[in-house]
Amino acid sequence: MAEAIYVGALLVATPKLEDPNFRRCVVLILEHDLEGGTLGVVLNRPSDIAVTQVLPTWDALVTGPSVLFQGGPVQTDSALALAAVPSGQEPLGWRRLHTGTAAVSRLGTVDLDAPPEILAGEIAQMRIFAGYAGWTAGQLEAEIAEGAWYLVDAEPGDTFHDDPGSLWRAVLRRQRGELAYVATCPDDPSMN
C-alpha cells in the first residue's frame, strides 16, 4: 500500500537517492494535488547568499541563519517565504498552508511583494527559499515506491531548525523502528 502524500508532511531522502539536488535533504510539502502534482521546499540547504543581498527589507524578520535557503531546483531565480504565526490569526500578507496537521498549522507563505512592516510583530519565525522542488502528477508517488524518499510527519521545529545541516539525521533519528538506524548511515556508504 502506498503512503498518502499530504501538505505538511516531510520527504526525507533515502541514502540511495543520489540526485545532487536532493541528496540527504528534507523537503516540506506545501501543495499536493493528485492531478496537479506536488510542490515543496528543501529545509536543510542554507546558501551563502545573505538575505540582505537580495531582499534587504525582509532581513530583520528572517530567523537565523539570515541567508537564502536553496528551496529546490525549480525556478531558482524566484523566492518563496515561509513564516509561522504565534497565534491563530491570519495577518495581511500571509496565507496559511492548507493542512490539517497540528505540527504546521501555524505555518504559511508570505507575500514578498507586501511591505514587511505589515508582518513585523505578526510572525514568530520566517525563512526565504530560492526556488522549490516540484513533481508532476504521479511522479513523487513513483519515486517513493522506488525507495527514493521516506514520507514522515513534520514536527513544529523542523521548518526553522537551529542547525539545518543536522536536520536530515534529526528527523530520521526520531522515527520508530529500523528507520531511526538510517540516521547513522555514513555520507559515503563504502566507508561503512
Side-chain angles (χ1 to χ4, degrees), residues 10 26 28 42-46 62-67 69 82 84 107 125-127 129 154-174:
L10 294 179
V26 178
L28 176 67
V42 176
L43 298 177
N44 60 333
R45 293 266 169 85
V62 170
T63 303
S66 189
V67 296
F69 277 65
L82 289 177
L107 197 60
Q125 296 172 299
M126 180 173 145
R127 285 223 167 121
F129 301 86
E155 288 189 359
D158 292 339
T159 303
F160 306 104
H161 197 272
D162 291 343
D163 179 13
S166 69
L167 183 62
W168 185 82
R169 279 194 165 89
V171 169
L172 286 171
R173 198 171 289 128
R174 71 176 185 237

Side-chain angles (χ1 to χ4, degrees), residues 58 61 91-94 110-111 113-123:
W58 288 98
L61 298 179
L92 211 56
W94 179 87
V110 172
D111 178 358
D113 291 328
E117 302 80 45
I118 67 170
L119 283 165
E122 299 289 328
I123 59 172

Side-chain angles (χ1 to χ4, degrees), residues 16 36 43 49-51 66 74 81 93 102 123 128 130 163-164 175 185 189-190:
K16 56 192 275 195
L43 298 177
I49 302 167
V51 171
S66 189
V74 182
I123 59 172
I128 301 175
D163 179 13
Q175 303 307 310
C185 183
S190 67

Side-chain angles (χ1 to χ4, degrees), residues 12-23:
V12 181
T14 69
K16 56 192 275 195
L17 182 58
E18 293 295 325
D19 180 337
N21 291 310
F22 296 112
R23 190 169 191 287

Side-chain angles (χ1 to χ4, degrees), residues 7-169:
V7 172
L10 294 179
L11 291 171
V12 181
T14 69
K16 56 192 275 195
L17 182 58
E18 293 295 325
D19 180 337
N21 291 310
F22 296 112
R23 190 169 191 287
R24 292 202 173 215
C25 76
V26 178
V27 177
L28 176 67
I29 297 176
L30 303 179
E31 294 177 13
H32 177 68
D33 182 301
L34 292 175
E35 283 125 37
T38 306
L39 179 142
V41 289
V42 176
L43 298 177
N44 60 333
R45 293 266 169 85
S47 74
D48 295 329
I49 302 167
V51 171
T52 55
Q53 289 180 258
V54 184
L55 295 161
T57 58
W58 288 98
D59 187 58
L61 298 179
V62 170
T63 303
S66 189
V67 296
L68 291 179
F69 277 65
Q70 298 169 5
V74 182
Q75 292 189 356
T76 56
D77 58 345
S78 66
L80 182 153
L82 289 177
V85 294
S87 67
Q89 299 296 321
E90 293 200 23
L92 211 56
W94 179 87
R95 185 176 60 101
R96 185 179 308 280
L97 292 183
H98 296 289
T99 179
T101 64
V104 294
S105 64
R106 295 182 180 199
L107 197 60
T109 56
V110 172
D111 178 358
L112 292 171
D113 291 328
E117 302 80 45
I118 67 170
L119 283 165
E122 299 289 328
I123 59 172
Q125 296 172 299
M126 180 173 145
R127 285 223 167 121
I128 301 175
F129 301 86
Y132 63 89
W135 295 265
T136 58
Q139 181 183 7
L140 181 56
E141 289 85 345
E143 290 182 16
I144 291 171
E146 291 168 2
W149 298 100
Y150 302 120
L151 184 67
V152 301
D153 295 331
E155 288 189 359
D158 292 339
T159 303
F160 306 104
H161 197 272
D162 291 343
D163 179 13
S166 69
L167 183 62
W168 185 82
R169 279 194 165 89

